[in-house]
Amino acid sequence: MSEGNVKPPTGPVVAEAHAVDTFHVPQALFAKHPSKPHLDGLDHYKQLYKESIEQPNQFWGRLARELLTWERDFQTVHSGSLEHGDNAWFLEGRLNASFNCVDRHAIKNPDKPAIIYEADEYNEGRTITYGELLREVSKLAYTLKSMGVRKGDTVALYLPMIPEAVISFLACSRIGAVHSVIFAGFSSDSLRDRIVDANSKVIITTDEGKRGGKVIGTKKIVDEALKQCPNVSHCLVYKRTGSDVPWTPGRDYWWHDEVEKYPAYIAPESMSSEDPLFLLYTSGSTGKPKGVMHTTGGYLLGAAATGKYVFDIHDSDRFFCGGDVGWITGHTYVVYAPLLLGVATVVFEGTPAYPDFSRYWDVVEKHAVTQFYVAPTALRLLKRAGDHHVKHQMKHLRVLGSVGEPIAAEVWKWYFEIVGKEEAHIVDTYWQTETGSHVITPLGGVTPTKPGSASLPFFGIEPAIIDPVSGEEIHGNDVEGVLAFKQAWPSMARTVWGAHKRYMETYLKVYKGYYFTGDGAGRDHEGYYWIRGRVDDVVNVSGHRLSTAEIEAALIEHPIVAEAAVVGINDELTGQAVNAFVSLKNGNEVTEQTKKDLILQVRKSIGPFAAPKAVFVVSDLPKTRSGKIMRRILRKILAGEEDQLGDTSTLSDPSVVDKIIETVHLSR
Ligand code: 6R9
């Protein structure tokens, strides 16, 4: 782990939190409910929570049999430990993810809507029933098989938010292939790295994508990446816009030509509970992204259980998660949770600002959405745009979820009052790519909430607040520290692809016997959790998780850059923003173009969403005598806290600090 890794958490102290209001589940939610929430109030939660912690095998064994369909039952609910990093769930059990998401609902009710596709343009969407989904998934599964994909192989997906993305997830899992989704905002370099790391031989993409009225050249980016992926034998292309795209015969295949060759049913592959279901790359405190690996039984149970209890999903619901399938939120709550529970999921291709700031609410109204789930960054944008854009009744809404970053109390209240009309329950869900599903969260229709707090642990999660200095757990309430978990849970990541040692070191060895989240947190006088943000070198920009080290590595790739230091600073709209400091190699002059080139370098190397908001070209960076860059000093300067830099005499050249202050001031 890198320098400054375990910084004491910042943010409001717990004492302030005492003053906040507690919101009870609105009575109107019960009035509009199709039946009633799955649990009868907080005591019922407490009773089940107690069982989940004291008798986890009994609790999870029961839920796994209730929520999933097993082709062969399991005998061992859990084995392994956090200490050894060998956790396994539902051993001996066999099941298939696509069977659980599709077949069992298609058999019962083939005409029930499964996917409500809301295209970028308002009237171009369509609805896909469970029966149709089964046929589409089967045909694609056949296609992948014919391309040589076998059980255990990884398949790269580089797709926009269209139904074919969901179909691709499920087609992979149907034949036992491991999907590795790469967010379609990543650059060709990032895509290449992920294809190579996972050794994917087949990739699925589109000719182009459409988002917010703009066209995205997905196939072009794939072509660029594949120049350096000699092992990719097949590229399957779904025609989204019909534009002319470059074509490599023998490697590129049109989706529509291929799928029509195959029958509309293929039997699902029998998988062991612990077989990998997917890889998803995420940023950590070092430069190289990690391929977080989730397995079948445990992950699916986490998705289904949180879908049921956190979102209070019932049979007739229509679920809308605004997250992209390229991130974990889309994996678990666009695809798996709603489909496992057999309800309709909205796949929204556009943005909240196109054609105007009413778009989300138009979608919610049009499809009578019952649960809506989004990141605070979108809410901040919409709140700022003005309440007049929220002119919709949205009377079916029961649960409004928030995810990805802390939600400020004013934004929380806006969501509750203006979007939910005080009739829907707000759930601020805390979790991570690595946790697979929600870990600290209110339960919809059940848990009283406090704006800004993710509230209480989900079933089976035993949080611990640890003192980052002593490494000891801090017991009792009204405490602050870093957040860890004491017990394994079914949907936790099992490893980092090809790097189990890194998995152990990042999550399980920091505090022995605990899973370390990387976040600071407080536990208030009522046992409610307040997430303070990352204590490592991870920056959260608009809910996108970025590693400062990864951005630094991108900057250093530019031939004129000698050294780079990247820090996250608070930003009103995006939560945090990336600011970069670079020093140039000898002989390189700073020109008007330099900063633009460096920003372009990051866009090219990672993707547009990682581009620094500001670049400061400086003569040297503040370093310790052993050469470690003191990012803390840069953060303080940007925050205008030059008077609180602390002791700078230990720097190898203390005079650089004044020069940096001057550069920052001049550029403002
Ligand atoms: C689901 C997701 C994980 C990091 C996590 C934390 C932050 C997520 C949050 C939250 C405060 C919440 N985070 N949910 N912070 N309140 N409700 O976002 O996964 O992309 O892996 O990011 O996001 O810092 O550690 P991922």
Side-chain angles (χ1 to χ4, degrees), residues 128-368:
I128 297 171
T129 65
Y130 274 99
E132 286 164 341
L133 186 59
L134 179 56
R135 292 191 284 279
E136 299 282 324
V137 168
S138 287
K139 281 170 167 288
L140 183 64
Y142 247 116
T143 306
L144 293 174
K145 262 200 145 162
S146 77
M147 292 180 162
V149 178
R150 297 287 169 265
K151 187 171 174 170
D153 289 351
T154 67
V155 174
L157 310 184
Y158 189 74
L159 288 161
M161 286 290 291
I162 54 176
E164 288 68 26
V166 181
I167 292 166
S168 300
F169 274 62
L170 297 167
C172 289
S173 70
R174 194 158 191 90
I175 60 171
V178 180
H179 54 74
S180 172
V181 180
I182 298 106
F183 172 58
F186 272 116
S187 69
S188 56
D189 288 3
S190 290
L191 175 59
R192 172 204 60 206
D193 291 349
R194 287 155 176 76
I195 293 172
V196 169
D197 188 78
N199 193 23
S200 306
K201 298 186 183 70
V202 171
I203 179 166
I204 308 179
T205 189
T206 51
D207 50 355
E208 291 177 325
K210 279 197 77 184
R211 193 161 180 272
K214 294 194 192 114
V215 170
I216 304 150
T218 38
K219 172 69 163 58
K220 234 191 250 156
I221 297 168
V222 170
D223 281 344
E224 196 54 39
L226 293 190
K227 283 184 188 161
Q228 291 172 305
C229 299
N231 290 342
V232 172
S233 57
H234 293 77
C235 174
L236 187 68
V237 187
Y238 178 79
K239 194 177 271 184
R240 169 63 186 87
T241 63
S243 284
D244 257 349
V245 286
W247 207 251
T248 305
R251 185 197 72 187
D252 298 349
Y253 297 84
W254 285 113
W255 172 303
H256 60 270
D257 286 344
E258 296 307 306
V259 296
E260 72 175 24
K261 296 179 189 163
Y262 302 104
Y265 180 79
I266 182 172
E269 188 80 41
S270 164
M271 303 301 284
S272 138
S273 176
E274 279 298 321
D275 278 334
L277 177 63
F278 67 86
L279 304 184
L280 182 58
Y281 285 82
T282 190
S283 298
S285 41
T286 59
K288 200 168 143 32
K290 301 180 280 235
V292 169
M293 186 188 98
H294 282 286
T295 59
T296 311
Y299 170 81
L300 293 178
L301 180 58
T306 51
K308 174 171 177 178
Y309 292 107
V310 176
F311 288 118
D312 187 42
I313 291 180
H314 282 68
D315 230 22
S316 57
D317 285 344
R318 288 151 312 272
F319 189 87
F320 177 11
C321 166
D324 193 284
V325 291
W327 307 110
I328 192 68
T329 301
H331 277 63
T332 308
Y333 299 104
V334 172
V335 183
Y336 287 108
L339 296 181
L340 283 166
L341 297 171
V343 300
T345 183
V346 174
V347 172
F348 176 45
E349 192 177 23
T351 74
Y354 180 81
D356 57 43
F357 292 109
S358 293
R359 188 62 194 275
Y360 274 160
W361 322 129
D362 289 339
V363 175
V364 169
E365 191 86 319
K366 179 171 161 193
H367 302 295

